[in-house]
Amino acid sequence: MTGPILPGATLGVIGGGQLGRMFTLAARRMGYRVTVLAPEDDTPAGQIAYQEIRAPYEDLDAVRRFASSVSVVTFEFENVPAETAVAASERAPVRPAGSLLHTTQHRRREKEALRAAGIPTVPFGAVESEAELIAAVAAVGTPAILKTAAWGYDGKGQIRLSRGSEALAAWESLGRAPAVLEAVAPFEREISVVGARGIDGAVALYDPVENTHVQHILDLSVAPAELPPGVATRAREIARTLLETWDVVGVICVEMFLMPDGELVVNEVAPRPHNSGHLTIDAHVSSQFEQQVRAVCGLPLGSTAAVAPAAMANLLGDLWQGGEPDWAAALATPGVALHLYGKVEARPGRKMGHLTALGSTAAQARDRVLQARAAAARLPLRAQEA
Ligand code: ADP
Ligand code: MG
């Protein structure tokens, strides 16, 4: 093995979104340059990168040129075609490896890999034909969620079924794309664990974060999650098992459901930093993005210790409906930090930024971040949020 990739080197990121932007910020703070490859211009990551290369991920010559110009390639987006990762790996190390992308970008492969690692998932059936759809409905029952196997994010490509008779029409509306049918998990809480693994096999895990989704999109994350005894340890063990079994070099996030019997089942795994880990920027000694830099550069991993309890609230495009949100009002809340991703067009459901608040307790951090977001929206706090 050669030595670590040191500050001054140029790191390559495939994907131009906010995760690439926050990776770039962490890398630049440490003295690296970053080149971004994305199919658009003026991307959130490209805006602050050293260089932004505009090319479709399928343009393998451009991918090879990009990889030739950097010391290591990582990604901020898992829906990168397998051939793209292979082409990049001809010119530079790709971390994490393309095989992790291949597994996690497809829900059936991901669930099979989880099971092979001995990790529980929700009951599911693979759906690639009408016969499989019928078999999956019989095996999984209802209510259930039909999800496209590929390309899903923020709840896109998901349809909830109350009755088996709705299954065929639902699958038709997904264009009969390969899918999985999952039982609806009657979970008590959703949590996630972000973890990193270095080239030397060292593992660093953050404590579990509690997540609340609205319309299948992450709305709020609170750290540390308040959990029954033993659950946090088990959640961290699951993340460690996956980092080690899948031989990850980089950062992953494991989304889990805490079931009424106290068991944890894994919902999905992101092969990169995750929205629920954004609060590590303000609330932890080393952020999830700094860990990604350290891991892919072959440096020692940083401390995952929390500086303070924290909460993160997403800022979706909906917040812009009445014009630019009132940032001064949001920032008047004590302990609040504003993160905006440089996106010009505020579409409903689009992740435009987030707020993080620190507090002396997780409950105080949560109250503060909700208060700040309501102030940005020029709204009084809704009763259920107060
Ligand atoms: P995405 O790739 O869009 O994040 P997820 O599978 O994580 O897709 O689904 C988004 C959210 O929808 C989850 O965080 C959870 O709140 C809800 N959800 C997804 N699958 C299930 C399920 N099987 N049972 C109950 N809720 C689910
Ligand atoms: Mg998810």
Side-chain angles (χ1 to χ4, degrees), residues 175-223:
R176 291 181 166 250
V180 295
L181 186 73
E182 290 180 16
V184 170
F187 57 77
E188 292 198 331
R189 285 155 195 240
E190 288 196 72
I191 63 170
S192 55
V193 172
V194 174
R197 186 164 171 273
I199 291 179
D200 59 356
V203 167
L205 302 166
Y206 295 89
D207 280 327
V209 171
E210 177 162 358
N211 302 315
T212 312
H213 292 76
V214 173
Q215 291 177 343
H216 292 259
I217 303 178
L218 183 65
D219 183 58
L220 182 71
S221 293
V222 178

Side-chain angles (χ1 to χ4, degrees), residues 20 74 78 108 117 121 128 155 262 311 373 383:
T74 189
E78 60 266 40
R108 177 178 55 73
T121 66
E128 294 184 15
R373 186 170 62 180

Side-chain angles (χ1 to χ4, degrees), residues 253-267:
C253 176
V254 189
E255 298 180 16
M256 295 174 246
F257 298 144
L258 176 60
M259 303 302 285
D261 64 3
E263 287 304 306
L264 287 170
V265 301
V266 170
N267 170 36

Side-chain angles (χ1 to χ4, degrees), residues 118-201:
I119 304 298
T121 66
V122 292
F124 75 96
V127 176
E128 294 184 15
S129 66
E130 233 171 280
E132 279 185 340
L133 178 64
I134 292 163
V137 171
V140 165
T142 50
I145 305 180
L146 188 65
K147 302 182 180 179
T148 53
W151 294 105
Y153 69 97
D154 290 346
K156 292 186 172 62
Q158 301 194 13
I159 300 179
R160 206 180 155 108
L161 309 180
S162 324
R163 269 179 242 94
S165 56
E166 297 163 14
L168 190 55
W171 194 44
E172 300 272 349
S173 74
L174 296 176
R176 291 181 166 250
V180 295
L181 186 73
E182 290 180 16
V184 170
F187 57 77
E188 292 198 331
R189 285 155 195 240
E190 288 196 72
I191 63 170
S192 55
V193 172
V194 174
R197 186 164 171 273
I199 291 179
D200 59 356

Side-chain angles (χ1 to χ4, degrees), residues 35 37 51 53-55 59-70 73 87-88 91-92:
T35 296
L37 176 80
Q51 203 192 348
I53 297 177
R54 179 179 183 167
D59 181 347
L60 301 184
D61 288 334
V63 170
R64 285 189 196 95
R65 277 199 302 278
F66 154 75
S68 300
S69 72
V70 300
V73 171
R91 302 295 166 88

